[in-house]
Amino acid sequence: MSADERRRLAALHEYRLLDEPADDELEAVVRVAAMVAGVPTATLNLIDENRQCQLTTTGFEGGDSPRSESMCAVRFEAGEVVHLPDARADPAYARNPWVTGVHADVRFYASAPLVTPQGHALGTLCVFDSERHELTAEQIDRLKDLAQVILALFERRRQARLNARLAAEAEARQQFTDAVLETIDVAVAAADPDGHLTLFNRAARDWHGLDADPSVDPGDFSDRYRLFRTDGVTPLPVDEIPLMQALRGGAVRGAEMLIQPAGRAPRHVVAGGRRLTTADGTPLGAVVAMTDVTADRDQRGALERAHAELADTIAELRRSNTELEQFAGVVSHDLAAPLAVVNGYLELLEDAYEEVLDERGRQWIAAGTRAVARMQALIEALLTYARAGSEPCRRDKADVREVAGLAITDLRDSITAAGATVTVGPGLPVLAVDPTLLRQLLQNLIGNAIKYRRPGLPATVTVDAECLEGEWRIRVTDNGIGIPEADRHRVFEMFAQVSAENPGHGVGLATCQRIVQRHGGRIWAGAAPGGGTTITFTLPGA
């Protein structure tokens, strides 16, 4: 099959005429063709790749026949009128079944081709008779005219079908668009070029409590639809209404306003929109989409208030820290110094009156000395706690193993007096920490482990570490009296005490917690294997 034939068949099938009933107009044209030719029979033939389809006939019962037997198929592709007064005289037709009597006894035969504007021959308008007959030139011209009328009817039928399909597609798109507009929770409003409302979707109707009213003048929008600035008091001027801004030609982004229908909670919206135009720039109006940000703005307001409260709290904490530092200075001078004087006079009393003091007097002096020492230790602990929270955390790379060794050196006398053994594991890292605070932290933890040792059992303390998920966990483990499980969560509270046998000030572990938190870590207490306590604290790995 040639390329031309494929294109011809494609054009034929595009009209969708084969095997379809002819309409009244086509039948009328075929009858007129027979009358113009002055013969009793005429037919409208369409020729596809295999057959001749007689779409409609007059004067005989039509039907399909093989293309190879068709008289019209002989020369229709030439695009010229065929006029045979006697078909038996033309060799191309003399043996055709329509001439020889197999299908009919055709003598006179004339056909006008049905040629599309693109040059594709679809078939013919054919007139014939069993008697010899001849057409005038005018009759042949009218036959050509009728062939053009048939092609026009074909084209109208095709256009009607295409228009119906386009209309169905447009209706489907419109239904889809309407469904989207009515389903989404974004309010959509549109206006014509004069600013009169033409569209409110479901969300817009719900938010405004009204439908779009084309009769409302744009100058009355704020009053009719209850539009306000974000202060909730000032009616929105017409030049600030997002739809009007878009209509004037500017792209609107992030415009905020309040919609406050009577009897309803105000709705804070953010709008964006554009002017609508045709492809050639003809104005069609404008459209805006509005998003409800009421909850977001409420949350933002709450956050802003919370930030303000937090700023006030931070300022108050700074003031408190300043006062705490001042208090620490006062304690250091006004309390510690007098206690030192008291302790000195107690020593002088004991030395000066050693010979006249009885046992009770010596006990009283000893009790006073112990009380002074205890008070001095409490003052020192409070000062340490204050400094741990107020002094800057100066980070530097430090070997935790070396810092632990310095803490052990600080505690050498206590370790020797208790007969304790302190072991530092080999896996301690090098981290960015404040070496002074870390040394104080380890000194407190190791000192506590020695202080709260189990009676009759040599104290052993181990310092080791492991890295889990990017953070280092430093552990100080002892074999001492341990901490009851119920008290492990509160031992880091200020002045917390869990041991009646070895009462302390309850400040040491609170200080440890402060130091760890300054480094962005956590600290907790747990049971050691075989009895005792493990204090674990974390430090960032980087």
Side-chain angles (χ1 to χ4, degrees), residues 412-441:
R412 181 168 48 201
D413 292 343
S414 299
I415 294 171
T416 302
T421 301
V422 182
T423 304
V424 179
L428 296 178
V430 175
L431 297 175
V433 295
D434 186 316
T436 301
L437 291 178
L438 181 60
R439 178 174 177 178
Q440 183 180 341
L441 169 63

Side-chain angles (χ1 to χ4, degrees), residues 13-217:
H13 292 301
E14 171 67 19
Y15 285 102
R16 297 187 184 180
L17 295 165
L18 294 170
D19 302 316
E20 294 291 333
D23 55 33
D24 294 342
E25 292 172 321
L26 289 174
E27 292 177 355
V29 172
V30 173
R31 288 195 299 269
V32 171
M35 183 185 69
V36 167
V39 296
T41 49
T43 179
L44 173 56
N45 293 329
L46 297 177
I47 299 171
D48 67 10
E49 58 266 47
N50 299 312
R51 60 178 173 151
Q52 171 184 275
C53 174
Q54 293 179 327
L55 192 62
T56 183
T57 64
T58 186
F60 74 103
E61 187 73 26
D64 289 355
S65 60
R67 178 173 174 173
S68 59
E69 298 178 356
S70 169
M71 294 181 70
C72 293
V74 175
R75 292 173 179 164
F76 81 108
E77 290 179 292
E80 300 293 336
V81 172
V82 176
H83 178 214
L84 303 175
D86 187 347
R88 291 175 302 180
D90 190 319
Y93 296 90
R95 296 185 179 181
N96 190 280
W98 290 90
V99 177
T100 61
V102 174
H103 296 312
D105 295 315
V106 174
R107 295 296 175 264
F108 164 71
Y109 170 82
S111 65
L114 305 175
V115 181
T116 69
Q118 292 76 32
H120 303 303
L122 308 180
T124 65
L125 173 61
C126 171
V127 292
F128 60 94
D129 193 3
S130 58
E131 301 292 334
R132 190 182 185 283
H133 187 69
E134 190 168 350
L135 298 178
T136 67
E138 184 177 1
Q139 287 175 307
I140 292 174
D141 288 342
R142 299 295 75 76
L143 200 62
K144 290 180 180 179
D145 292 341
L146 291 173
Q148 291 302 310
V149 171
I150 289 174
L151 280 172
L153 292 174
F154 284 177
E155 184 63 24
R156 189 182 72 177
R157 184 169 176 174
R158 186 180 74 89
Q159 286 296 332
R161 186 182 71 252
L162 292 177
N163 290 340
R165 187 182 70 190
L166 292 174
E169 291 175 353
E171 177 65 19
R173 285 196 298 270
Q174 185 62 48
Q175 290 179 355
F176 178 79
T177 301
D178 292 344
V180 170
L181 287 174
E182 293 300 296
T183 302
I184 59 176
D185 291 326
V186 174
V188 178
D192 64 19
D194 296 325
H196 295 105
L197 290 175
T198 58
L199 170 71
F200 266 8
N201 71 339
R202 175 195 57 81
R205 294 192 300 272
D206 290 346
W207 295 2
H208 292 89
L210 296 169
D211 201 350
D213 186 348
S215 67
V216 178
D217 186 86

Side-chain angles (χ1 to χ4, degrees), residues 297-528:
R297 293 302 182 266
D298 289 346
Q299 185 178 25
R300 180 184 295 181
L303 285 174
E304 289 174 353
R305 290 190 295 273
H307 282 308
E309 292 175 0
L310 180 59
D312 291 342
T313 301
I314 291 173
E316 177 63 21
L317 286 174
R318 286 174 177 166
R319 185 189 63 77
S320 298
N321 282 337
T322 301
E323 291 179 353
L324 184 59
E325 292 176 13
Q326 294 172 349
F327 172 74
V330 171
V331 167
S332 175
H333 181 271
D334 293 348
L335 292 180
L339 283 174
V341 172
V342 171
N343 190 58
Y345 276 113
L346 287 173
E347 291 178 356
L348 289 174
L349 281 172
E350 187 175 20
D351 292 341
Y353 297 97
E354 181 179 3
E355 295 181 358
V356 299
L357 282 174
D358 57 11
E359 185 61 27
R360 178 177 293 182
R362 293 189 182 90
Q363 290 176 354
W364 287 350
I365 291 176
T369 301
R370 288 194 302 271
V372 169
R374 181 171 177 80
M375 180 61 71
Q376 288 174 328
L378 175 58
I379 291 172
E380 181 61 31
L382 290 172
L383 288 172
T384 301
Y385 179 81
R387 294 191 195 101
S390 61
E391 292 181 354
C393 183
R394 297 182 175 88
R395 293 176 184 255
D396 197 0
K397 285 187 177 181
D399 188 330
V400 179
R401 181 179 177 83
E402 292 181 2
V403 175
L406 294 174
I408 293 171
T409 300
D410 295 337
L411 296 168
R412 181 168 48 201
D413 292 343
S414 299
I415 294 171
T416 302
T421 301
V422 182
T423 304
V424 179
L428 296 178
V430 175
L431 297 175
V433 295
D434 186 316
T436 301
L437 291 178
L438 181 60
R439 178 174 177 178
Q440 183 180 341
L441 169 63
L442 291 171
Q443 183 179 331
N444 275 347
L445 294 179
I446 297 170
N448 272 358
I450 295 170
K451 179 178 180 180
Y452 296 104
R453 60 188 179 276
R454 191 176 303 177
L457 184 67
T460 59
V461 183
T462 302
V463 181
D464 62 3
E466 65 176 338
C467 187
L468 294 174
E469 298 180 354
E471 69 176 7
W472 280 93
R473 294 187 176 187
I474 315 296
R475 294 185 294 257
V476 178
T477 304
D478 62 54
N479 65 340
I481 61 175
I483 302 173
E485 184 175 357
D487 294 324
R488 290 173 192 162
H489 68 285
R490 70 179 189 88
V491 292
F492 299 99
E493 297 175 1
M494 193 68 168
F495 304 119
Q497 296 185 7
V498 297
S499 173
E501 298 178 0
N502 296 298
H505 303 297
V507 180
L509 288 179
T511 302
C512 292
Q513 184 179 53
R514 238 183 182 194
I515 294 173
V516 171
Q517 290 175 343
R518 294 288 299 280
H519 285 82
R522 299 169 290 120
I523 187 169
W524 64 92

